Amino acid sequence: MSQDPLVIFTPSGKRGRFPEGTPILTAARQLGVDLDSVCGGRGICSKCQITPSYGEFPKHGVTVSDGALSEWNAVEARYDDKRGLPKGRRLGCQATVQGDVVIDVPPESQVHKQVVRKRAEARDITLDPLVKLFYVAVEEPDMHEPSGDLERLVQALKDQWGLEDVKADLHILQSMQPVLRKGDWKVTVAVHLGDDENPPRIMHLWPGYFDGAIFGVAIDLGSTTIAAHLCDLATGEVVASSGLMNPQIRFGEDLMSRVSYSMMNPSGAQEMTDAVREGLNALFTQIASDAEIDKGLIMDVVVVCNPVMHHLLLGIDPFELGQAPFALATSNALRLRADDLSLSIHHSARVYLLPCIAGHVGADAAAVALSEAPDKSDDLVLVVDVGTNAEILLGDKTGVMACSSPTGPAFEGAQISAGQRAAPGAIERVEIDPVTKEPRFKVIGSDLWSTDDGFDAAVATTGITGICGSGIIEVIAEMRMAGLVDAGGLIGSADQTGTDRCFADGRTNSFRLWDGDEDHGPIAVTNGDIRAIQMAKAALYSGARLLMDKRAVDKVDRVVLAGAFGAHISAKHAMVLGMIPDCPLDRVTSAGNAAGTGARIALLNRAARAEIEDTVRKIQKIETAVEPRFQEHFVNASAMPNAVEPFPILRSIVALPDPHFNTGGGDGDGAGGRRRRRRRD
């Protein structure tokens, strides 16, 4: 086995061994990593910027030492002197491999930029933000009635707008007097109206009448992606939406990997805190640029996130969340200054974090509860926020329960042999003819099926690069409906299935979805891929079924799929796999990015903040990690759709073949298949 250093790229997960002295750009190109370069590796364009990570990475089985890359060289120094390199960045064309190393490719260095599918859902929201503009006329100073300019400004806000006990930050005192005089004692005042913890406070002053806008940002801080919606606080309009990959992903794709990184590295928690705050600041700059506004006009921020992200954003070591009883540092809502989190927006901006529900059920689940309001539903609704860590709510007017399930990153395309995140060129829709077993598919960036005229031309610029989460869900469900994979998750051989698209691949079989072309090799679904999805969907279903047990019900009236990924899942395919409980398909709906919608509601309506804080206190929390029936449900849910649940509604709509393939090299009708049936009985 080669003793050359191991190079691991994130977020793609691609890895390989390369001789010492190999440029990182060369390694990336040989592995097919999406690392940009325009100048041909001469250190001019800076498109190939990368971020090396150091320390222990149990997930990858490597320890990265300080000397893993070559020393900073003259080319990098010259570029940094002329244009500047962000702290910690290297040029991939100049840094060479010297030892085992983990390399993060930031979004701006990728040729195919990430499509963060978290849009702002259309929603009626009663507009009542916490930061508003007030135009006032202030009395001029009078030697016979001496008082300070601030006191007369505060009195004007009280007399003309009924605002009581308004305070001001030091920077207001430092700039106030020239602004008052420039405006001829008439000014526009941005005031934070206060809350349970803080009195009203002056945030900004403009001379005369300011006819511009002030803004707030609703942020869904996920473990994989960060999405932001920039809102005009006067109109409620979403003026821009943007997103990026969570830069913490280089420390681990799932939450427990990040907790582990924190445990294994003394400065690990701080590194991840710095990374996510830098990511947020990059997102603020990006979204302000998109909207063509000054980011100094962003005065209010609402953040929703899971508990691990919550703690890391706040600079709290998540160690306690990695072990029972999964204690939160605080579950209450937090009202902070942007400066507390080193966020580069208006210097008086406030940040509100929704309350967490429990140790593994966070503020993102609270935001989903605010958006979807299961506590106000007449029928029993199951709300599933599908992501790397799935949050699940079950309830109606009589009560709501919540839990989380560790689904892992497979739904995002990770742990899949040809998997990738949702970006142009990724297969996202699949159909397989049940008779011919021939597949067809769609890729992100084109509305054409692969069998349509003009498809090749339509995808010429992106190519066909892999399979994203929704694509892997559909292809496995289609394989199940076409009889290519059995309920236990085994792919049949060519003889067993009647198609040479199924081929021997080691000790098991794989299914060739795409034949490839002169630029790209074929794309196949392996038995390992199916196993990864089985584990993820079993965790998701088991969490839902556990809540149903606690509620003493065997069915739900409707299912709501939330989350960026949930918005793109086909209800039929999800049910064929057994991701969600049996339910009429027309009663399975998508809420889109419900957590982001909940964040916008809390941003634009101050009463909603008190509402969700009250609601969260009433939600019954179920901890799946200590529930004995969770494992039982998990084992049953590993089958497709389920080993014991009959799924009568699904089977009335979809015909599911019942082949039994085996791994013993037989014809599929032999003892291996029969023995497996007897064990199930």
Side-chain angles (χ1 to χ4, degrees), residues 131-133 189-192 203-206 210 213-217 230 233 295-301 338 345-351 603:
V131 182
K132 293 183 179 179
L133 297 178
V189 190
V191 179
H192 185 283
M203 302 184 72
H204 199 91
L205 294 173
W206 292 269
F210 174 67
I214 57 173
F215 301 90
V217 179
L230 180 71
L233 292 178
K295 67 178 179 179
L297 291 171
I298 298 173
M299 297 190 178
D300 201 13
V301 175
I345 46 179
H346 191 281
H347 38 225
S348 286
R350 268 33 182 193
V351 179
L603 175 70

PDB file of all heavy atoms in Angstrom, residues 131-133 189-192 203-206 210 213-217 230 233 295-301 338 345-351 603:
ATOM      1  N   VAL A 131     -37.287  47.034  14.996  1.00  0.00           N
ATOM      2  CA  VAL A 131     -36.535  48.244  14.651  1.00  0.00           C
ATOM      3  C   VAL A 131     -37.352  49.060  13.654  1.00  0.00           C
ATOM      4  O   VAL A 131     -37.739  48.547  12.600  1.00  0.00           O
ATOM      5  CB  VAL A 131     -35.151  47.908  14.061  1.00  0.00           C
ATOM      6  CG1 VAL A 131     -34.376  49.187  13.768  1.00  0.00           C
ATOM      7  CG2 VAL A 131     -34.359  47.027  15.017  1.00  0.00           C
ATOM      8  N   LYS A 132     -37.626  50.315  14.014  1.00  0.00           N
ATOM      9  CA  LYS A 132     -38.431  51.180  13.163  1.00  0.00           C
ATOM     10  C   LYS A 132     -37.803  52.561  13.064  1.00  0.00           C
ATOM     11  O   LYS A 132     -36.974  52.950  13.902  1.00  0.00           O
ATOM     12  CB  LYS A 132     -39.861  51.303  13.721  1.00  0.00           C
ATOM     13  CG  LYS A 132     -40.669  50.015  13.679  1.00  0.00           C
ATOM     14  CD  LYS A 132     -42.099  50.236  14.183  1.00  0.00           C
ATOM     15  CE  LYS A 132     -42.916  48.959  14.134  1.00  0.00           C
ATOM     16  NZ  LYS A 132     -44.296  49.155  14.638  1.00  0.00           N
ATOM     17  N   LEU A 133     -38.231  53.305  12.045  1.00  0.00           N
ATOM     18  CA  LEU A 133     -37.763  54.675  11.835  1.00  0.00           C
ATOM     19  C   LEU A 133     -38.802  55.667  12.348  1.00  0.00           C
ATOM     20  O   LEU A 133     -40.012  55.479  12.148  1.00  0.00           O
ATOM     21  CB  LEU A 133     -37.505  54.932  10.354  1.00  0.00           C
ATOM     22  CG  LEU A 133     -36.400  54.093   9.682  1.00  0.00           C
ATOM     23  CD1 LEU A 133     -36.303  54.445   8.202  1.00  0.00           C
ATOM     24  CD2 LEU A 133     -35.062  54.307  10.370  1.00  0.00           C
ATOM     25  N   VAL A 189     -34.821  58.882  13.244  1.00  0.00           N
ATOM     26  CA  VAL A 189     -34.195  58.058  14.274  1.00  0.00           C
ATOM     27  C   VAL A 189     -34.581  56.594  14.064  1.00  0.00           C
ATOM     28  O   VAL A 189     -35.766  56.274  13.959  1.00  0.00           O
ATOM     29  CB  VAL A 189     -34.645  58.490  15.689  1.00  0.00           C
ATOM     30  CG1 VAL A 189     -33.797  57.796  16.750  1.00  0.00           C
ATOM     31  CG2 VAL A 189     -34.581  60.002  15.842  1.00  0.00           C
ATOM     32  N   ALA A 190     -33.581  55.729  13.996  1.00  0.00           N
ATOM     33  CA  ALA A 190     -33.834  54.283  14.013  1.00  0.00           C
ATOM     34  C   ALA A 190     -33.824  53.843  15.465  1.00  0.00           C
ATOM     35  O   ALA A 190     -32.827  54.051  16.175  1.00  0.00           O
ATOM     36  CB  ALA A 190     -32.774  53.537  13.217  1.00  0.00           C
ATOM     37  N   VAL A 191     -34.945  53.266  15.906  1.00  0.00           N
ATOM     38  CA  VAL A 191     -35.081  52.871  17.309  1.00  0.00           C
ATOM     39  C   VAL A 191     -35.378  51.381  17.399  1.00  0.00           C
ATOM     40  O   VAL A 191     -36.277  50.877  16.709  1.00  0.00           O
ATOM     41  CB  VAL A 191     -36.210  53.661  18.005  1.00  0.00           C
ATOM     42  CG1 VAL A 191     -36.354  53.205  19.461  1.00  0.00           C
ATOM     43  CG2 VAL A 191     -35.950  55.157  17.935  1.00  0.00           C
ATOM     44  N   HIS A 192     -34.600  50.695  18.231  1.00  0.00           N
ATOM     45  CA  HIS A 192     -34.961  49.332  18.615  1.00  0.00           C
ATOM     46  C   HIS A 192     -35.976  49.467  19.736  1.00  0.00           C
ATOM     47  O   HIS A 192     -35.711  50.093  20.769  1.00  0.00           O
ATOM     48  CB  HIS A 192     -33.726  48.566  19.096  1.00  0.00           C
ATOM     49  CG  HIS A 192     -33.985  47.127  19.406  1.00  0.00           C
ATOM     50  ND1 HIS A 192     -34.606  46.713  20.565  1.00  0.00           N
ATOM     51  CD2 HIS A 192     -33.717  45.993  18.701  1.00  0.00           C
ATOM     52  CE1 HIS A 192     -34.695  45.392  20.564  1.00  0.00           C
ATOM     53  NE2 HIS A 192     -34.166  44.934  19.448  1.00  0.00           N
ATOM     54  N   MET A 203     -30.601  53.610  17.683  1.00  0.00           N
ATOM     55  CA  MET A 203     -29.565  52.867  16.978  1.00  0.00           C
ATOM     56  C   MET A 203     -28.820  53.724  15.961  1.00  0.00           C
ATOM     57  O   MET A 203     -27.636  53.520  15.725  1.00  0.00           O
ATOM     58  CB  MET A 203     -30.179  51.657  16.270  1.00  0.00           C
ATOM     59  CG  MET A 203     -30.910  50.701  17.206  1.00  0.00           C
ATOM     60  SD  MET A 203     -31.514  49.237  16.348  1.00  0.00           S
ATOM     61  CE  MET A 203     -29.993  48.359  16.024  1.00  0.00           C
ATOM     62  N   HIS A 204     -29.544  54.686  15.349  1.00  0.00           N
ATOM     63  CA  HIS A 204     -28.910  55.488  14.296  1.00  0.00           C
ATOM     64  C   HIS A 204     -29.686  56.792  14.118  1.00  0.00           C
ATOM     65  O   HIS A 204     -30.898  56.837  14.391  1.00  0.00           O
ATOM     66  CB  HIS A 204     -28.884  54.717  12.974  1.00  0.00           C
ATOM     67  CG  HIS A 204     -27.882  55.240  11.991  1.00  0.00           C
ATOM     68  ND1 HIS A 204     -26.589  54.773  11.934  1.00  0.00           N
ATOM     69  CD2 HIS A 204     -27.967  56.199  11.035  1.00  0.00           C
ATOM     70  CE1 HIS A 204     -25.933  55.409  10.982  1.00  0.00           C
ATOM     71  NE2 HIS A 204     -26.753  56.287  10.422  1.00  0.00           N
ATOM     72  N   LEU A 205     -28.981  57.825  13.655  1.00  0.00           N
ATOM     73  CA  LEU A 205     -29.600  59.126  13.374  1.00  0.00           C
ATOM     74  C   LEU A 205     -29.224  59.579  11.976  1.00  0.00           C
ATOM     75  O   LEU A 205     -28.082  59.416  11.537  1.00  0.00           O
ATOM     76  CB  LEU A 205     -29.106  60.183  14.371  1.00  0.00           C
ATOM     77  CG  LEU A 205     -29.491  60.045  15.847  1.00  0.00           C
ATOM     78  CD1 LEU A 205     -28.740  61.099  16.663  1.00  0.00           C
ATOM     79  CD2 LEU A 205     -30.986  60.208  16.018  1.00  0.00           C
ATOM     80  N   TRP A 206     -30.205  60.160  11.261  1.00  0.00           N
ATOM     81  CA  TRP A 206     -29.958  60.808   9.979  1.00  0.00           C
ATOM     82  C   TRP A 206     -30.460  62.253  10.062  1.00  0.00           C
ATOM     83  O   TRP A 206     -31.535  62.504  10.632  1.00  0.00           O
ATOM     84  CB  TRP A 206     -30.713  60.117   8.855  1.00  0.00           C
ATOM     85  CG  TRP A 206     -30.250  58.738   8.509  1.00  0.00           C
ATOM     86  CD1 TRP A 206     -29.318  58.393   7.583  1.00  0.00           C
ATOM     87  CD2 TRP A 206     -30.734  57.505   9.077  1.00  0.00           C
ATOM     88  NE1 TRP A 206     -29.192  57.024   7.523  1.00  0.00           N
ATOM     89  CE2 TRP A 206     -30.048  56.453   8.435  1.00  0.00           C
ATOM     90  CE3 TRP A 206     -31.679  57.193  10.064  1.00  0.00           C
ATOM     91  CZ2 TRP A 206     -30.272  55.120   8.740  1.00  0.00           C
ATOM     92  CZ3 TRP A 206     -31.894  55.861  10.382  1.00  0.00           C
ATOM     93  CH2 TRP A 206     -31.199  54.847   9.731  1.00  0.00           C
ATOM     94  N   PHE A 210     -35.048  60.864   6.352  1.00  0.00           N
ATOM     95  CA  PHE A 210     -34.349  59.789   5.664  1.00  0.00           C
ATOM     96  C   PHE A 210     -35.380  58.950   4.925  1.00  0.00           C
ATOM     97  O   PHE A 210     -36.255  58.325   5.538  1.00  0.00           O
ATOM     98  CB  PHE A 210     -33.586  58.934   6.678  1.00  0.00           C
ATOM     99  CG  PHE A 210     -32.949  57.697   6.090  1.00  0.00           C
ATOM    100  CD1 PHE A 210     -31.895  57.790   5.192  1.00  0.00           C
ATOM    101  CD2 PHE A 210     -33.397  56.421   6.450  1.00  0.00           C
ATOM    102  CE1 PHE A 210     -31.307  56.658   4.663  1.00  0.00           C
ATOM    103  CE2 PHE A 210     -32.815  55.281   5.922  1.00  0.00           C
ATOM    104  CZ  PHE A 210     -31.762  55.399   5.025  1.00  0.00           C
ATOM    105  N   ALA A 213     -34.201  52.826   3.345  1.00  0.00           N
ATOM    106  CA  ALA A 213     -34.715  51.663   4.073  1.00  0.00           C
ATOM    107  C   ALA A 213     -33.680  51.161   5.067  1.00  0.00           C
ATOM    108  O   ALA A 213     -32.482  51.403   4.920  1.00  0.00           O
ATOM    109  CB  ALA A 213     -35.075  50.550   3.088  1.00  0.00           C
ATOM    110  N   ILE A 214     -34.168  50.499   6.088  1.00  0.00           N
ATOM    111  CA  ILE A 214     -33.305  49.745   6.988  1.00  0.00           C
ATOM    112  C   ILE A 214     -33.693  48.275   6.869  1.00  0.00           C
ATOM    113  O   ILE A 214     -34.814  47.948   6.460  1.00  0.00           O
ATOM    114  CB  ILE A 214     -33.415  50.228   8.445  1.00  0.00           C
ATOM    115  CG1 ILE A 214     -34.869  50.155   8.934  1.00  0.00           C
ATOM    116  CG2 ILE A 214     -32.854  51.624   8.577  1.00  0.00           C
ATOM    117  CD1 ILE A 214     -35.027  50.460  10.411  1.00  0.00           C
ATOM    118  N   PHE A 215     -32.772  47.402   7.245  1.00  0.00           N
ATOM    119  CA  PHE A 215     -32.949  45.998   6.895  1.00  0.00           C
ATOM    120  C   PHE A 215     -32.707  45.069   8.079  1.00  0.00           C
ATOM    121  O   PHE A 215     -32.024  45.403   9.045  1.00  0.00           O
ATOM    122  CB  PHE A 215     -31.997  45.621   5.757  1.00  0.00           C
ATOM    123  CG  PHE A 215     -32.205  46.436   4.515  1.00  0.00           C
ATOM    124  CD1 PHE A 215     -31.508  47.626   4.324  1.00  0.00           C
ATOM    125  CD2 PHE A 215     -33.116  46.032   3.548  1.00  0.00           C
ATOM    126  CE1 PHE A 215     -31.710  48.394   3.183  1.00  0.00           C
ATOM    127  CE2 PHE A 215     -33.324  46.790   2.412  1.00  0.00           C
ATOM    128  CZ  PHE A 215     -32.627  47.970   2.224  1.00  0.00           C
ATOM    129  N   GLY A 216     -33.296  43.890   7.965  1.00  0.00           N
ATOM    130  CA  GLY A 216     -33.037  42.799   8.880  1.00  0.00           C
ATOM    131  C   GLY A 216     -32.721  41.551   8.082  1.00  0.00           C
ATOM    132  O   GLY A 216     -33.061  41.455   6.896  1.00  0.00           O
ATOM    133  N   VAL A 217     -32.080  40.592   8.713  1.00  0.00           N
ATOM    134  CA  VAL A 217     -31.724  39.345   8.037  1.00  0.00           C
ATOM    135  C   VAL A 217     -32.208  38.162   8.868  1.00  0.00           C
ATOM    136  O   VAL A 217     -31.949  38.089  10.073  1.00  0.00           O
ATOM    137  CB  VAL A 217     -30.203  39.227   7.809  1.00  0.00           C
ATOM    138  CG1 VAL A 217     -29.868  37.905   7.111  1.00  0.00           C
ATOM    139  CG2 VAL A 217     -29.689  40.393   6.984  1.00  0.00           C
ATOM    140  N   LEU A 230     -32.679  38.711   3.264  1.00  0.00           N
ATOM    141  CA  LEU A 230     -32.575  40.126   3.611  1.00  0.00           C
ATOM    142  C   LEU A 230     -33.936  40.775   3.426  1.00  0.00           C
ATOM    143  O   LEU A 230     -34.502  40.744   2.333  1.00  0.00           O
ATOM    144  CB  LEU A 230     -31.541  40.808   2.710  1.00  0.00           C
ATOM    145  CG  LEU A 230     -31.307  42.301   2.935  1.00  0.00           C
ATOM    146  CD1 LEU A 230     -30.564  42.544   4.242  1.00  0.00           C
ATOM    147  CD2 LEU A 230     -30.524  42.904   1.760  1.00  0.00           C
ATOM    148  N   LEU A 233     -37.305  46.214   6.567  1.00  0.00           N
ATOM    149  CA  LEU A 233     -38.065  46.203   7.810  1.00  0.00           C
ATOM    150  C   LEU A 233     -39.298  47.091   7.756  1.00  0.00           C
ATOM    151  O   LEU A 233     -40.186  46.967   8.601  1.00  0.00           O
ATOM    152  CB  LEU A 233     -37.169  46.620   8.979  1.00  0.00           C
ATOM    153  CG  LEU A 233     -36.061  45.621   9.349  1.00  0.00           C
ATOM    154  CD1 LEU A 233     -35.212  46.166  10.489  1.00  0.00           C
ATOM    155  CD2 LEU A 233     -36.655  44.269   9.725  1.00  0.00           C
ATOM    156  N   LYS A 295     -24.166  47.235   4.031  1.00  0.00           N
ATOM    157  CA  LYS A 295     -24.500  46.274   5.086  1.00  0.00           C
ATOM    158  C   LYS A 295     -24.581  46.933   6.460  1.00  0.00           C
ATOM    159  O   LYS A 295     -25.079  46.327   7.412  1.00  0.00           O
ATOM    160  CB  LYS A 295     -23.522  45.105   5.093  1.00  0.00           C
ATOM    161  CG  LYS A 295     -22.098  45.423   5.484  1.00  0.00           C
ATOM    162  CD  LYS A 295     -21.274  44.133   5.478  1.00  0.00           C
ATOM    163  CE  LYS A 295     -19.817  44.423   5.842  1.00  0.00           C
ATOM    164  NZ  LYS A 295     -19.005  43.187   5.856  1.00  0.00           N
ATOM    165  N   GLY A 296     -24.118  48.181   6.562  1.00  0.00           N
ATOM    166  CA  GLY A 296     -24.307  48.941   7.791  1.00  0.00           C
ATOM    167  C   GLY A 296     -25.753  49.302   8.045  1.00  0.00           C
ATOM    168  O   GLY A 296     -26.101  49.762   9.138  1.00  0.00           O
ATOM    169  N   LEU A 297     -26.616  49.081   7.043  1.00  0.00           N
ATOM    170  CA  LEU A 297     -28.050  49.322   7.230  1.00  0.00           C
ATOM    171  C   LEU A 297     -28.774  48.090   7.765  1.00  0.00           C
ATOM    172  O   LEU A 297     -29.986  48.128   7.968  1.00  0.00           O
ATOM    173  CB  LEU A 297     -28.682  49.764   5.907  1.00  0.00           C
ATOM    174  CG  LEU A 297     -28.265  51.153   5.402  1.00  0.00           C
ATOM    175  CD1 LEU A 297     -28.780  51.381   3.984  1.00  0.00           C
ATOM    176  CD2 LEU A 297     -28.785  52.241   6.339  1.00  0.00           C
ATOM    177  N   ILE A 298     -28.047  46.990   7.971  1.00  0.00           N
ATOM    178  CA  ILE A 298     -28.642  45.791   8.576  1.00  0.00           C
ATOM    179  C   ILE A 298     -28.638  45.979  10.089  1.00  0.00           C
ATOM    180  O   ILE A 298     -27.583  46.034  10.718  1.00  0.00           O
ATOM    181  CB  ILE A 298     -27.861  44.528   8.189  1.00  0.00           C
ATOM    182  CG1 ILE A 298     -27.906  44.321   6.669  1.00  0.00           C
ATOM    183  CG2 ILE A 298     -28.423  43.303   8.906  1.00  0.00           C
ATOM    184  CD1 ILE A 298     -27.029  43.189   6.175  1.00  0.00           C
ATOM    185  N   MET A 299     -29.831  46.088  10.669  1.00  0.00           N
ATOM    186  CA  MET A 299     -29.940  46.465  12.083  1.00  0.00           C
ATOM    187  C   MET A 299     -30.568  45.402  12.967  1.00  0.00           C
ATOM    188  O   MET A 299     -30.569  45.555  14.190  1.00  0.00           O
ATOM    189  CB  MET A 299     -30.737  47.772  12.205  1.00  0.00           C
ATOM    190  CG  MET A 299     -30.059  48.945  11.527  1.00  0.00           C
ATOM    191  SD  MET A 299     -30.835  50.500  11.911  1.00  0.00           S
ATOM    192  CE  MET A 299     -29.762  51.628  11.009  1.00  0.00           C
ATOM    193  N   ASP A 300     -31.116  44.361  12.385  1.00  0.00           N
ATOM    194  CA  ASP A 300     -31.714  43.313  13.203  1.00  0.00           C
ATOM    195  C   ASP A 300     -31.472  41.977  12.516  1.00  0.00           C
ATOM    196  O   ASP A 300     -31.564  41.871  11.280  1.00  0.00           O
ATOM    197  CB  ASP A 300     -33.212  43.557  13.390  1.00  0.00           C
ATOM    198  CG  ASP A 300     -33.779  42.822  14.595  1.00  0.00           C
ATOM    199  OD1 ASP A 300     -32.993  42.333  15.422  1.00  0.00           O
ATOM    200  OD2 ASP A 300     -35.020  42.742  14.726  1.00  0.00           O
ATOM    201  N   VAL A 301     -31.153  40.958  13.295  1.00  0.00           N
ATOM    202  CA  VAL A 301     -30.855  39.634  12.767  1.00  0.00           C
ATOM    203  C   VAL A 301     -31.562  38.600  13.635  1.00  0.00           C
ATOM    204  O   VAL A 301     -31.556  38.702  14.866  1.00  0.00           O
ATOM    205  CB  VAL A 301     -29.334  39.355  12.766  1.00  0.00           C
ATOM    206  CG1 VAL A 301     -29.040  37.921  12.326  1.00  0.00           C
ATOM    207  CG2 VAL A 301     -28.604  40.343  11.873  1.00  0.00           C
ATOM    208  N   ALA A 338     -24.860  42.407  17.894  1.00  0.00           N
ATOM    209  CA  ALA A 338     -24.055  41.813  16.824  1.00  0.00           C
ATOM    210  C   ALA A 338     -22.583  41.794  17.199  1.00  0.00           C
ATOM    211  O   ALA A 338     -21.847  40.862  16.845  1.00  0.00           O
ATOM    212  CB  ALA A 338     -24.270  42.583  15.524  1.00  0.00           C
ATOM    213  N   ILE A 345     -21.909  44.118  10.817  1.00  0.00           N
ATOM    214  CA  ILE A 345     -23.050  44.835  10.254  1.00  0.00           C
ATOM    215  C   ILE A 345     -23.154  46.151  11.032  1.00  0.00           C
ATOM    216  O   ILE A 345     -22.128  46.653  11.503  1.00  0.00           O
ATOM    217  CB  ILE A 345     -24.341  43.990  10.326  1.00  0.00           C
ATOM    218  CG1 ILE A 345     -24.518  43.330  11.695  1.00  0.00           C
ATOM    219  CG2 ILE A 345     -24.321  42.909   9.249  1.00  0.00           C
ATOM    220  CD1 ILE A 345     -25.782  42.501  11.839  1.00  0.00           C
ATOM    221  N   HIS A 346     -24.328  46.750  11.143  1.00  0.00           N
ATOM    222  CA  HIS A 346     -24.443  47.991  11.915  1.00  0.00           C
ATOM    223  C   HIS A 346     -23.946  47.760  13.339  1.00  0.00           C
ATOM    224  O   HIS A 346     -24.251  46.745  13.961  1.00  0.00           O
ATOM    225  CB  HIS A 346     -25.908  48.454  11.931  1.00  0.00           C
ATOM    226  CG  HIS A 346     -26.068  49.849  12.464  1.00  0.00           C
ATOM    227  ND1 HIS A 346     -26.057  50.125  13.806  1.00  0.00           N
ATOM    228  CD2 HIS A 346     -26.236  51.031  11.828  1.00  0.00           C
ATOM    229  CE1 HIS A 346     -26.222  51.427  13.994  1.00  0.00           C
ATOM    230  NE2 HIS A 346     -26.320  52.004  12.803  1.00  0.00           N
ATOM    231  N   HIS A 347     -23.171  48.729  13.877  1.00  0.00           N
ATOM    232  CA  HIS A 347     -22.533  48.484  15.171  1.00  0.00           C
ATOM    233  C   HIS A 347     -23.515  48.420  16.328  1.00  0.00           C
ATOM    234  O   HIS A 347     -23.133  48.023  17.427  1.00  0.00           O
ATOM    235  CB  HIS A 347     -21.433  49.521  15.463  1.00  0.00           C
ATOM    236  CG  HIS A 347     -21.740  50.902  15.013  1.00  0.00           C
ATOM    237  ND1 HIS A 347     -20.830  51.688  14.340  1.00  0.00           N
ATOM    238  CD2 HIS A 347     -22.859  51.645  15.119  1.00  0.00           C
ATOM    239  CE1 HIS A 347     -21.374  52.854  14.056  1.00  0.00           C
ATOM    240  NE2 HIS A 347     -22.588  52.853  14.517  1.00  0.00           N
ATOM    241  N   SER A 348     -24.766  48.818  16.127  1.00  0.00           N
ATOM    242  CA  SER A 348     -25.773  48.665  17.183  1.00  0.00           C
ATOM    243  C   SER A 348     -26.760  47.539  16.883  1.00  0.00           C
ATOM    244  O   SER A 348     -27.744  47.382  17.601  1.00  0.00           O
ATOM    245  CB  SER A 348     -26.554  49.971  17.373  1.00  0.00           C
ATOM    246  OG  SER A 348     -25.764  50.930  18.037  1.00  0.00           O
ATOM    247  N   ALA A 349     -26.525  46.801  15.818  1.00  0.00           N
ATOM    248  CA  ALA A 349     -27.481  45.762  15.413  1.00  0.00           C
ATOM    249  C   ALA A 349     -27.678  44.739  16.521  1.00  0.00           C
ATOM    250  O   ALA A 349     -26.765  44.421  17.286  1.00  0.00           O
ATOM    251  CB  ALA A 349     -27.003  45.069  14.143  1.00  0.00           C
ATOM    252  N   ARG A 350     -28.909  44.233  16.585  1.00  0.00           N
ATOM    253  CA  ARG A 350     -29.259  43.215  17.562  1.00  0.00           C
ATOM    254  C   ARG A 350     -29.414  41.861  16.885  1.00  0.00           C
ATOM    255  O   ARG A 350     -29.753  41.779  15.699  1.00  0.00           O
ATOM    256  CB  ARG A 350     -30.571  43.574  18.252  1.00  0.00           C
ATOM    257  CG  ARG A 350     -30.509  44.380  19.543  1.00  0.00           C
ATOM    258  CD  ARG A 350     -29.402  45.340  19.644  1.00  0.00           C
ATOM    259  NE  ARG A 350     -29.385  46.040  20.934  1.00  0.00           N
ATOM    260  CZ  ARG A 350     -28.660  47.108  21.164  1.00  0.00           C
ATOM    261  NH1 ARG A 350     -27.888  47.600  20.218  1.00  0.00           N
ATOM    262  NH2 ARG A 350     -28.674  47.691  22.354  1.00  0.00           N
ATOM    263  N   VAL A 351     -29.167  40.798  17.653  1.00  0.00           N
ATOM    264  CA  VAL A 351     -29.306  39.430  17.164  1.00  0.00           C
ATOM    265  C   VAL A 351     -30.228  38.683  18.117  1.00  0.00           C
ATOM    266  O   VAL A 351     -30.005  38.684  19.332  1.00  0.00           O
ATOM    267  CB  VAL A 351     -27.946  38.705  17.078  1.00  0.00           C
ATOM    268  CG1 VAL A 351     -28.135  37.278  16.585  1.00  0.00           C
ATOM    269  CG2 VAL A 351     -26.991  39.467  16.167  1.00  0.00           C
ATOM    270  N   LEU A 603     -38.419  37.757  12.706  1.00  0.00           N
ATOM    271  CA  LEU A 603     -37.750  39.013  12.356  1.00  0.00           C
ATOM    272  C   LEU A 603     -38.755  40.136  12.155  1.00  0.00           C
ATOM    273  O   LEU A 603     -38.536  41.272  12.600  1.00  0.00           O
ATOM    274  CB  LEU A 603     -36.919  38.814  11.082  1.00  0.00           C
ATOM    275  CG  LEU A 603     -36.245  40.064  10.509  1.00  0.00           C
ATOM    276  CD1 LEU A 603     -35.117  40.533  11.425  1.00  0.00           C
ATOM    277  CD2 LEU A 603     -35.706  39.791   9.096  1.00  0.00           C
TER     278      LEU A 603
END
